[in-house]
């Protein structure tokens, strides 16, 4: 990095070792998602804010190293991009530890069970056992959802130090007519989650969907992940879910916490 670029990075709040081209290359990869699996050069430039010339260079580099496929004017991600996520998940160890507990939880309750971690303003699924499909979005490992409107997200947000919380809230856009969008209301809900040690979200992410989550902690007691159970809201009341699901959910979260501590 040149002295000038180092000064620019420092001025932008970046470290002296910041490499802008790496950030831009990752931005090109992130331009593709479930709603935009095939993009033209112009699409990529628009979604990343890069010039067409820069977008072209990054796309062709990614094609050359096997992360992107080119078919005429259209570009798509190749399966090799999964290596980027798998490297993180393998190092974390959480998916392998959580999965048998999620399988037992899903079997006992007959409902889908998942584990996630906080990533910016989103949660990222790191393990999931689907008993049935109850959402319009097909969830799987790597799926990202807004933290503020999910039960796992609220458990993870509630576990943050107060000084870090604001950076992880993002825009509180209404996803359904029930979504909490008032910041003060959400902060009060997070305080309640912090005190009771679990969260329930009732049709705020998607109408007809209810979910309950509990924290997974490290050896110091810090919240490092969350596990949840999702069900159709029509299956019973919130009170019924608390009575019937919460004890099993807490048991699974405690077992994952214990196994995670024993593995490190």
């Amino acid at each position: 990095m040149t002295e000038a670029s180092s000064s620019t990075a420092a001025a932008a709040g970046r470290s002296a070792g910041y490499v802008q081209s790496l950030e831009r290359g990752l931005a090109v990869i992130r331009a593709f998602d479930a709603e935009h699996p095939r993009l033209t050069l112009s699409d990529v430039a628009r979604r990343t804010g890069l010039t067409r010339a820069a977008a072209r260079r990054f796309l062709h580099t990614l094609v050359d190293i096997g992360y992107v496929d080119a078919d005429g004017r259209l570009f798509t991600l190749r399966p090799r991009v999964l290596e980027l996520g798998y490297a993180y998940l393998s190092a974390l160890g959480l998916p392998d530890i959580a999965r048998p507990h999620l399988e037992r939880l899903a079997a006992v309750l007959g409902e889908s069970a998942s584990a996630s971690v906080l990533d910016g303003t989103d949660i990222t699924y790191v393990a999931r056992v689907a008993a049935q499909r109850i959402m319009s979005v097909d969830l799987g490992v790597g799926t990202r959802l807004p933290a503020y409107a999910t039960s796992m997200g609220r458990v993870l947000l509630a576990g943050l130090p107060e000084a870090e919380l604001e950076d992880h809230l993002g825009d509180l856009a209404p996803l359904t007519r029930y979504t909490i969008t008032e910041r003060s209301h959400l902060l009060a809900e997070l305080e309640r989650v912090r005190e009771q040690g679990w969260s329930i979200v009732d049709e705020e992410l998607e109408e007809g969907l209810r979910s309950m989550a509990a924290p997974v902690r490290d050896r110091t007691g810090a919240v490092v992940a969350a596990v949840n159970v999702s069900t159709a809201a029509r299956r019973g009341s919130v009170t019924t879910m608390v009575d019937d699901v919460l004890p099993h959910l807490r048991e699974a979260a405690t077992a994952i916490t214990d196994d995670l501590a024993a593995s490190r």
Side-chain angles (χ1 to χ4, degrees):
M1 177 179 284
T2 66
E3 182 177 345
S5 61
S6 178
S7 299
T8 301
R14 307 289 189 178
S15 69
Y18 170 74
V19 180
Q20 188 178 55
S21 59
L22 175 58
E23 180 190 36
R24 289 176 173 177
L26 294 173
V28 169
I29 292 175
R30 291 196 300 270
F32 297 87
D33 57 28
E35 296 179 357
H36 306 88
R38 295 159 64 84
L39 297 173
T40 65
L41 171 61
S42 297
D43 293 333
V44 172
R46 183 178 63 257
R47 288 176 61 80
T48 59
L50 296 172
T51 64
R52 284 175 55 88
R56 181 182 294 108
R57 289 196 301 272
F58 285 113
L59 281 168
H60 286 296
T61 298
L62 290 167
V63 168
D64 286 345
I65 62 178
Y67 288 106
V68 170
D69 191 28
D71 182 10
R73 295 177 57 252
L74 292 173
F75 295 88
T76 57
L77 293 181
R78 298 190 63 188
R80 189 174 183 182
V81 297
L82 294 174
E83 294 176 357
L84 302 175
Y86 287 153
Y88 167 72
L89 296 178
S90 296
L92 184 66
L94 176 61
D96 289 337
I97 290 172
R99 186 163 186 86
H101 298 291
L102 296 179
E103 289 174 346
R104 282 193 289 272
L105 184 61
V108 168
L109 298 174
E111 304 287 2
S112 299
S114 309
S116 72
V117 295
L118 188 64
D119 185 8
T121 59
D122 294 335
I123 61 168
T124 299
Y125 280 69
V126 296
R128 179 167 169 79
V129 176
Q132 56 186 326
R133 183 170 176 177
I134 56 176
M135 286 191 68
S136 60
V137 177
D138 189 13
L139 299 175
V141 172
T143 296
R144 298 170 66 91
L145 293 174
Y148 70 90
T150 60
S151 60
M152 288 192 287
R154 289 185 185 168
V155 163
L156 292 162
L157 291 172
L160 289 173
E162 188 175 347
E164 298 178 20
L165 180 57
E166 190 63 32
D167 292 336
H168 293 273
L169 291 182
D171 296 327
L172 308 183
L175 303 178
T176 75
R177 54 184 167 158
Y178 303 109
T179 309
I180 294 176
T181 56
E182 291 291 335
R183 228 169 188 76
S184 60
H185 188 178
L186 178 61
L187 292 175
E189 177 63 18
L190 293 179
E191 180 59 31
R192 188 164 73 92
V193 170
R194 190 176 298 113
E195 291 176 356
Q196 68 187 15
W198 53 275
S199 172
I200 191 164
V201 168
D202 192 14
E203 302 191 80
E204 294 186 51
L205 178 67
E206 181 173 309
E207 292 198 25
L209 176 73
R210 182 180 296 142
S211 65
M212 175 181 284
V216 172
R217 302 178 184 274
D218 65 13
R219 289 180 176 177
T220 70
V223 177
V224 293
V227 294
N228 90 333
V229 172
S230 301
T231 186
R234 66 177 182 274
R235 292 200 168 187
S237 67
V238 169
T239 300
T240 299
M241 191 173 191
V242 172
D243 291 340
D244 296 345
V245 174
L246 184 57
H248 298 288
L249 177 64
R250 279 178 154 168
E251 182 180 357
T254 299
I256 294 171
T257 294
D258 291 345
D259 285 357
L260 193 61
S263 71
R264 298 187 174 182

